[in-house]
Amino acid sequence: MASSSTFNPHPPPPKPSSTHFPKTPPLLAHTLQTPPKTLTHQDPKLIITGGATLSGHVPISGSKNSALPILAATLCCSGQTKLKNVPNLFDTRSMLSILESLGAEVEVFGGEVVVSTDGVRSVEPCEGEIGKIRGGFLVIGPLLGRFGEAVVGLPGGCDIGARPVDLHIRGLRALGASVDCRDGKVIAHASNGKGLVGGRFRLDYPSVGATETLMMAACMADGMTVLSNVAQEPEVIDLAHFLMDTGACVEGAGTDKLLIKGRRKLHDSEYSIIPDRIEAGTFMLAAAITRSCITMSPIVPSHLSCLINKLVTAGCKISQCTPDALEGLSVVEESVFENRMNHVTEMQKFGPRIQVRGSTALVFGKDSGRLYGSRVAASDLRGGVSLVLAGLAAQGTTEVNGIAHIDRGYENFEMKLRLLGADVKRLTIPP
């Protein structure tokens, strides 16, 4: 186990990133001509002329919410880890920069990423990069598990409400870590001066991020760890499968209890990220709202079962053409983030009848009448996408500002829409 003196608590600024994503994925290179999207001081917007019928096939990218924890988990592994189907997004590029700031070597070839962590010499990632994305905080688990210490800034991301890290901290303490918060950072080290130890911890709430953090930390702790009331999402299962592929011992992924037997060393691996179920669901909704018929792949139908059931109930026809493809022609409650309904004010500009009562939105479908194009602004990732979908179905022209939020979670979104026949244009207005 490396001692504290092995690491520089104030590492020099990271060298310029050698990470390079191609301008377009090979599958779309014949159609897509613009460079990858980044968050800049410019103000990107989408101009949508609604009413077009969508048709054709759309390729689904790898899952952002799987890629981020798995990229963090490469810190658990010795040697080189090769990941396939990594989406080219602002968030994934930020995570790669975080890994590089720790001393990892990163190479990117299309949708494949190779990470070597044998050169990691710091346990304090670049604070500026950590502050950009929520997922950056996930590195605290593997850093503590492998090196016995970590200094990680508090996370950033969409402004959809408080997303505290108290479950992460309490869980790490249950694994033998001493954790303090000061100056906007979480400072942690193994209390015994050696490494984490197995323990038992029950999450107050099945937080995905806390489950992932504790799973990664426990994989390298000494002894058996039992985590209960954990998250069961497909992205959590994907992380567990990756860790098992590197030699970790994880049982119970997909249930509410994880049994993890720690190992002191995990080896290199080659692993493919699952398709993004949220992107697939977005395009299913785009087809439904425009009364269109499209196909999409790759997808995992079981990851979309809840949405499929709701769309079928609403009258959509959905069939499975191949094992990984789909074809598709209310009271909405938010139970996690208190600001998630903020975008409803913008949605009302299209003319629908929506009433928000606390964390619940009442949508009066047939009474809403037609939707009409409007000028709206995205304030977060998923709410911003809903404004784009409304614009597709609205009469006239819609202008959606704040597209940088959408770029964080959707690879070549408007270009994929254009492949399906939507009239969508991106404009970037200098400040």
Side-chain angles (χ1 to χ4, degrees):
M1 173 60 62
S3 65
S4 298
S5 61
T6 304
F7 300 102
N8 178 5
H10 301 288
K15 62 184 179 180
S17 172
S18 60
T19 303
H20 172 71
F21 279 94
K23 289 187 176 181
T24 57
L27 185 61
L28 303 178
H30 66 288
T31 303
L32 313 182
Q33 301 297 326
T34 63
K37 302 182 276 289
T38 58
L39 288 178
T40 70
H41 294 296
Q42 297 175 324
D43 180 23
K45 62 180 67 177
L46 292 183
I47 306 298
I48 306 166
T49 301
T53 299
L54 307 183
S55 65
H57 180 83
V58 60
I60 302 301
S61 301
S63 168
K64 181 199 80 163
N65 290 342
S66 249
L68 294 180
I70 289 176
L71 284 170
T74 62
L75 291 168
C76 296
C77 310
S78 59
Q80 287 189 336
T81 300
K82 183 177 182 180
L83 300 177
K84 300 180 180 180
N85 204 30
V86 178
N88 175 10
L89 301 169
F90 174 83
D91 282 24
T92 51
R93 292 192 291 271
S94 292
M95 180 61 86
L96 294 179
S97 295
I98 289 169
L99 296 179
E100 288 181 318
S101 75
L102 294 167
E105 294 183 4
V106 175
E107 295 180 276
V108 180
F109 308 94
E112 297 184 356
V113 175
V114 178
V115 181
S116 175
T117 62
D118 289 343
V120 170
R121 293 293 180 267
S122 172
V123 293
E124 182 172 2
C126 173
E127 188 174 359
E129 294 295 337
I130 288 288
K132 292 179 181 178
I133 60 171
R134 170 69 177 178
F137 190 76
L138 291 169
V139 298
I140 194 172
L143 286 175
L144 261 177
R146 183 172 177 183
F147 303 111
E149 55 185 322
V151 180
V152 183
L154 293 173
C158 285
D159 183 18
I160 56 175
R163 294 196 275 189
V165 295
D166 60 309
L167 284 180
H168 303 246
I169 292 172
R170 288 166 48 209
L172 292 172
R173 286 172 176 162
L175 299 181
S178 175
V179 187
D180 295 310
C181 299
R182 59 178 182 267
D183 300 325
K185 298 178 181 179
V186 177
I187 303 168
H189 65 272
S191 299
N192 60 14
K194 298 179 181 180
L196 298 180
V197 295
R200 303 180 71 92
F201 184 71
R202 177 179 176 82
L203 281 72
D204 297 340
Y205 173 83
S207 160
V208 171
T211 299
E212 292 167 339
T213 292
L214 300 178
M215 187 194 311
M216 289 185 281
C219 279
M220 305 195 77
D222 183 15
M224 178 70 73
T225 295
V226 179
L227 302 174
S228 56
N229 196 32
V230 298
Q232 304 174 44
E233 278 81 348
E235 294 78 16
V236 173
I237 299 172
D238 205 28
L239 173 62
H241 288 168
F242 167 75
L243 290 169
M244 288 187 285
D245 204 51
T246 67
C249 183
V250 181
E251 297 180 9
T255 73
D256 65 352
K257 180 180 289 187
L258 291 174
L259 304 178
I260 304 168
K261 184 177 181 180
R263 300 188 184 281
R264 289 309 310 143
K265 187 174 182 179
L266 301 181
H267 55 71
D268 54 0
S269 174
E270 183 172 315
Y271 192 80
S272 184
I273 306 294
I274 60 173
D276 195 314
R277 62 187 175 117
I278 301 180
E279 183 189 26
T282 298
F283 282 104
M284 291 174 66
L285 292 170
I289 200 171
T290 58
R291 300 180 182 273
S292 303
C293 180
I294 67 173
T295 62
M296 63 190 73
S297 68
I299 59 96
V300 180
S302 61
H303 294 174
L304 296 159
S305 57
C306 181
L307 177 60
I308 290 173
N309 291 338
K310 294 297 183 183
L311 289 176
V312 170
T313 300
C316 295
K317 295 181 180 180
I318 301 174
S319 60
Q320 187 172 334
C321 306
T322 66
D324 65 349
L326 286 178
E327 189 172 32
L329 200 172
S330 60
V331 174
V332 181
E333 183 175 1
E334 168 61 38
S335 61
V336 180
F337 301 119
E338 66 270 20
N339 293 340
R340 181 71 87 178
M341 292 294 181
N342 283 356
H343 72 285
V344 173
T345 300
E346 295 298 293
M347 185 69 71
Q348 289 170 331
K349 295 179 181 179
F350 291 99
R353 184 183 171 198
I354 306 175
Q355 295 180 2
V356 176
R357 299 175 182 173
S359 62
T360 300
L362 304 178
V363 184
F364 299 87
K366 291 185 178 181
D367 295 336
S368 293
R370 293 183 179 274
L371 299 182
Y372 296 93
S374 182
R375 176 179 294 177
V376 294
S379 59
D380 67 83
L381 170 54
R382 306 306 173 188
V385 167
S386 72
L387 299 177
V388 174
L389 296 182
L392 294 175
Q395 288 186 336
T397 301
T398 293
E399 177 182 307
V400 183
N401 294 275
I403 295 305
H405 291 291
I406 296 176
D407 292 345
R408 290 184 46 248
Y410 290 84
E411 185 176 23
N412 297 305
F413 183 50
E414 75 276 8
M415 302 175 191
K416 291 181 178 180
L417 286 173
R418 287 206 297 270
L419 283 176
L420 298 175
D423 189 343
V424 182
K425 299 176 182 178
R426 171 180 286 256
L427 293 181
T428 301
I429 307 300

